[in-house]
Amino acid sequence: MSDRARPNDAAPSISMRRLWVPIYGPTVLISIGMGAVVPLIALYALDLGATVTQAAIIVGLIGFGQLTGDLPAGSLAQRFGEKRVLLAACVVEAAALVTASQTSSLLVLSACVFAIGLASAVFGLARHAYLSEAVAIGFRARALSTLGGTFRIGSFIGPFVGALLIEQHSMGAAFAFAAGTSLAGGLLSLFLPELPGDGARTRPAEAEPEARLRLWQVLRDHRKVLATLGIGVFLIMIARASRQAIIPLWAALQGLDATTTSIIVGISAGVDMLLFYPGGAIMDRFGRMWVALPAMAVLGAGFVLLPLTDTAVLIGLVACFMGLGNGISSGIVLTLGSDVAPPHGRRQFLGGWRLCADLGNVAGPGLISLVSLAFPLGVAAVALGLISWFGVGWLAKWVPVYDRTRAPRESVEV
């Protein structure tokens, strides 16, 4: 089978208006809840007696859980369907959050954090797979960039909600709130419209030819796209994750206090949220590389400029500049994955695709730590800038090969 995706573009699609509640609603709710909890995990671990190193490892278990869950998530979605998988992931996440809020054991807390990462991987894969099939290619980037934008909005609001709950109640209240948002998100997911064509066939009949497609077979058949465009999204995620890690570290190195750093990060996140829909519209109208390349170029320039800053104002300006690059690329990884996902084995393939992205998400902060062991933090920033600019060249080579936005598009109500 060819590495190029050959989706059935002539198939009927679902209006985005019908997806606001069952797709975007759960994303906002769950990201608000997780945004309230994730900053507290390290503090909670310290309260339970963990060392700083142990607390950092426990926080990192979320990412490890996502990596572990990416590939099985595709097989689960293929076997049971998106609705069931979304609901199950939300229930597991809620149970882990409730258990974490009640435990006094670091081992139990670690298991709960890992389970949250697993549930996040399954939930993310199911949403991605559903939208890949539900929305026509002419509106795909807008649908997926909006998904990324709703996640950013929730993550921006969440820490403020968490701070309020701690102030008024306790840290456990923030975990309970997150569990509630996860359950609410799962219930909203039950209102997902049937995928185009599902009304004419049952899920078992639809899945019968794909049931024989095993995960490794799908990944082997499409290894070329994973080794080319997949490396591109790996580089994108290195840049994105490193941006989130290095700005607070550089601010602290320049003597800025936690409040000032939080304000800088918050303003940058606000800028990040402004461009998700325009970025999707550009991708749909002009092609994917018109977002992928400028975004990586801007992020690379931001990394290179960061060592030249030494005041709150200058650091804030660079952070906002990088926020522009990150914001306009909202949904690019999801969109590229949907473009190249095969019609048969789509969900298994997207599991491998998300693994490429999540590896970059983990590798970015790890690269900062590794370089900083031998060199100043400014050297790590410049190295990340060069990696980002290398990513521009890599994406310029491979994105046009797989970009199908000039294919005939159907007219669909949005």
Side-chain angles (χ1 to χ4, degrees), residues 8-226:
N8 184 8
D9 297 339
S13 63
I14 297 174
S15 166
M16 283 177 61
R17 278 200 292 267
R18 296 181 62 197
L19 300 176
W20 278 110
V21 171
I23 281 287
Y24 301 122
T27 303
V28 172
L29 287 172
I30 292 172
S31 57
I32 288 175
M34 294 311 299
V37 164
V38 170
L40 305 179
I41 292 175
L43 299 177
Y44 191 32
L46 292 172
D47 285 348
L48 295 181
T51 65
V52 173
T53 300
Q54 289 172 332
I57 292 172
I58 290 173
V59 172
L61 287 174
I62 290 183
F64 185 63
Q66 290 174 327
L67 287 174
T68 305
D70 281 330
L71 294 180
S75 298
L76 288 172
Q78 178 59 45
R79 182 176 179 83
F80 298 106
E82 284 81 10
K83 281 188 183 181
R84 292 179 181 177
V85 166
L86 285 168
L87 179 60
C90 291
V91 170
V92 169
E93 187 172 82
L97 286 163
V98 171
T99 303
S101 70
Q102 300 299 316
T103 189
S104 58
S105 165
L106 284 175
L107 185 61
V108 173
L109 177 63
S110 299
C112 290
V113 172
F114 179 76
I116 290 169
L118 282 175
S120 175
V122 174
F123 185 84
L125 183 282
R127 287 178 312 174
H128 188 185
Y130 181 89
L131 280 176
S132 297
E133 193 167 342
V135 179
I137 191 171
F139 297 102
R140 178 180 288 162
R142 272 167 284 186
L144 290 169
S145 65
T146 300
L147 182 65
T150 53
F151 176 81
R152 285 164 165 79
I153 292 170
S155 299
F156 177 72
I157 296 172
F160 297 103
V161 175
L164 180 63
L165 288 170
I166 293 172
E167 179 69 23
Q168 298 296 322
H169 301 283
S170 66
M171 195 177 297
F175 280 84
F177 169 78
T181 60
S182 293
L183 287 177
L187 292 175
L188 285 181
S189 298
L190 294 177
F191 293 94
L192 280 172
E194 291 296 320
L195 285 168
D198 276 357
R201 59 180 184 259
T202 62
R203 170 67 68 175
E206 176 194 6
E208 184 177 348
E210 296 195 31
R212 296 189 293 269
L213 285 175
R214 298 190 180 277
L215 172 65
W216 298 112
Q217 177 187 345
V218 173
L219 298 182
R220 183 181 67 249
D221 289 345
H222 301 280
R223 60 189 179 276
K224 181 179 178 182
V225 68
L226 293 172

Side-chain angles (χ1 to χ4, degrees), residues 199-397:
R201 59 180 184 259
T202 62
R203 170 67 68 175
E206 176 194 6
E208 184 177 348
E210 296 195 31
R212 296 189 293 269
L213 285 175
R214 298 190 180 277
L215 172 65
W216 298 112
Q217 177 187 345
V218 173
L219 298 182
R220 183 181 67 249
D221 289 345
H222 301 280
R223 60 189 179 276
K224 181 179 178 182
V225 68
L226 293 172
T228 54
L229 199 57
I231 290 177
V233 302
F234 172 75
L235 295 171
I236 290 173
M237 293 308 298
I238 284 180
R240 285 180 168 180
S242 300
R243 161 185 166 265
Q244 293 179 319
I246 203 166
I247 290 174
L249 290 174
W250 184 258
L253 192 63
Q254 304 311 306
L256 275 60
D257 58 33
T259 301
T260 303
T261 301
S262 296
I263 292 172
I264 290 172
V265 172
I267 294 173
S268 175
V271 172
D272 195 331
M273 290 188 299
L274 295 176
L275 296 177
F276 67 85
Y277 193 82
I282 290 170
M283 282 191 278
D284 278 334
R285 183 171 178 81
F286 299 106
R288 312 321 191 198
M289 75 173 184
W290 289 95
V291 159
L293 272 58
M296 287 294 279
V298 167
L299 287 171
F303 284 124
V304 171
L305 289 172
L306 191 62
L308 305 178
T309 64
D310 57 2
T311 66
V313 172
L314 291 176
I315 294 172
L317 288 173
V318 171
C320 289
F321 177 65
M322 297 178 78
L324 288 172
N326 193 63
I328 201 169
S329 69
S330 174
I332 183 65
V333 171
L334 300 176
T335 302
L336 291 173
S338 296
D339 286 346
V340 297
H344 298 295
R346 182 191 303 273
R347 297 164 184 84
Q348 294 98 320
F349 173 85
L350 289 177
W353 183 263
R354 295 180 70 88
L355 180 63
C356 292
D358 284 338
L359 283 170
N361 204 33
V362 171
L367 183 62
I368 294 173
S369 300
L370 186 63
V371 175
S372 298
L373 288 175
F375 302 98
L377 187 61
V379 175
V382 173
L384 288 165
L386 296 177
I387 289 172
S388 300
W389 286 340
F390 172 77
V392 173
W394 188 271
L395 291 166
K397 165 68 175 176

